[in-house]
Amino acid sequence: MSDPNPERPIEPTELAHTPPSAPATSAKLVAETFGTLLLVFGGVGTAVFASNHFVDTPAAVYTAVALAFGLTVVAGAYAFGPISGGHFNPAVTLGLAAAGRFPWREAGGYIIAQVIGGVIATTLLVLIGTFGPANWITTAQDAGFASNGWDNLSPAGFGMPAAMIAEVVLTGLFVLIILGVTHPTRGNPSLAGLAIGLSLALIHFISIPVDNTSVNPARSIASAIYGGGEALLQLWVFILFPIAGAMLAGVAYRSLLDTTRS
C-alpha cells in the first residue's frame, strides 16, 4: 500500500557548522608580505616624508608617525588578518609561537615574508624620493631614513641600555595585548585589530624619543639598509631585544594568564 502523503525528497545541504577551508600557505605568506609592506610604507613613509618637509613642526611629525604606525596595523589586521593572522612582525610571530598560539614550523616562512615586505616598502620610498626635490635622498639617508638607534641616532640622545630596556618592555607588552585580545574564548575578534593598532600608536608615542621605536625587527631592517653604516651597526639591538621581549611575553602569558580552573 502506497503512502497517501509522501514526503518530498530533500536535497542534502552542507552543515552550517562545517568549518571553512583554511587559506593555502602561499596565501598566508603573501598576506604577511603585503601587511608588512603596508605597515612599513605607511609608518616609515610618514616619518621620512613628513620630517623632511615639516621641519618647523616636530611635534606634528611625532604625532603623525605614531598614528601612521597604528593606523596601518588597524588596516592590515582587517584586510590581511583573516588570511594569515596579521602578524606583520617577526617578534610577534615568535611571541605567538612561544605562547603556543602559532606553530613553530611556520615561523620561518612568516619571518622571511615579513622582512621581504618591509624591504620592498622602503625600496619603494627610495624610488619615490629619487623623483623628489634635489638632494632629498641624500638628506633622508643622512638623517638615518627613520632607522632605529641610540646615542646620536636617538632623537633625544638616549643611550644603548635605554633602547634595550624599551624594546624588551614595549614589545613584551605589545605581545601580551595581542594574546589577550585575540584569545580564542576570552578575546573580542571584532575589536582586536583596533585594540592592537591603538596599542602600537601608544608604544610609538612613548618611545620615538628614545630610539625611534622598533618593536619590529622587519621594520628596523627595512629602514637600516637605507639608513647608512651606523644604522646597520646598531641594527642588532633592534633584532635581538624585540624578539627577547616578545618571547618572554609569550611564555609568561601561557604560564600565568592562559590557565583555566581545574
Side-chain angles (χ1 to χ4, degrees):
M1 184 175 180
S2 62
D3 188 343
N5 296 304
E7 294 183 356
R8 295 181 180 179
I10 299 175
E11 292 293 328
T13 58
E14 186 178 42
L15 295 175
H17 62 264
T18 302
S21 57
T25 299
S26 59
K28 295 178 182 178
L29 298 180
V30 170
E32 283 297 301
T33 301
F34 277 116
T36 313
L37 187 157
L38 174 64
L39 170 65
V40 175
F41 192 81
V44 175
T46 301
V48 295
F49 290 131
S51 61
N52 279 2
H53 186 70
F54 300 105
V55 293
D56 298 325
T57 54
V61 173
Y62 171 74
T63 301
V65 172
L67 291 176
F69 274 103
L71 291 173
T72 53
V73 165
V74 172
Y78 290 115
F80 305 112
I83 301 171
S84 68
H87 300 186
F88 317 143
N89 182 338
V92 169
T93 296
L94 294 173
L96 293 177
R101 299 267 286 274
F102 185 75
W104 284 104
R105 66 181 181 275
E106 295 185 26
Y110 267 51
I111 291 170
I112 292 171
Q114 292 154 2
V115 172
I116 290 172
V119 172
I120 291 173
T122 49
T123 302
L124 290 172
L125 293 173
V126 170
L127 181 62
I128 292 170
T130 58
F131 299 98
N135 299 322
W136 187 91
I137 290 291
T138 302
T139 302
Q141 290 182 317
D142 288 345
F145 212 81
S147 297
N148 304 111
W150 64 84
D151 289 342
N152 61 321
L153 293 186
S154 164
F158 284 82
M160 182 173 68
M164 291 175 173
I165 295 168
E167 292 302 322
V168 170
V169 171
L170 292 174
T171 311
L173 290 173
F174 187 47
V175 170
L176 287 175
I177 291 168
I178 293 170
L179 289 168
V181 299
T182 61
H183 194 279
T185 59
R186 305 169 190 166
N188 190 337
S190 62
L191 296 177
L194 184 61
I196 293 167
L198 290 176
S199 300
L200 186 60
L202 175 60
I203 286 168
H204 279 77
F205 278 118
I206 295 168
S207 59
I208 285 176
V210 178
D211 60 7
N212 256 347
T213 309
S214 173
V215 302
N216 185 338
R219 168 262 190 272
S220 297
I221 292 168
S223 293
I225 61 173
Y226 292 109
E230 193 168 5
L232 287 169
L233 288 174
Q234 296 188 5
L235 177 61
W236 64 275
V237 165
F238 305 101
I239 295 175
L240 294 182
F241 286 87
I243 289 174
M247 295 187 70
L248 286 171
V251 172
Y253 191 95
R254 187 174 189 175
S255 60
L256 300 175
L257 298 173
D258 202 11
T259 56
T260 56
R261 184 181 301 175
S262 59

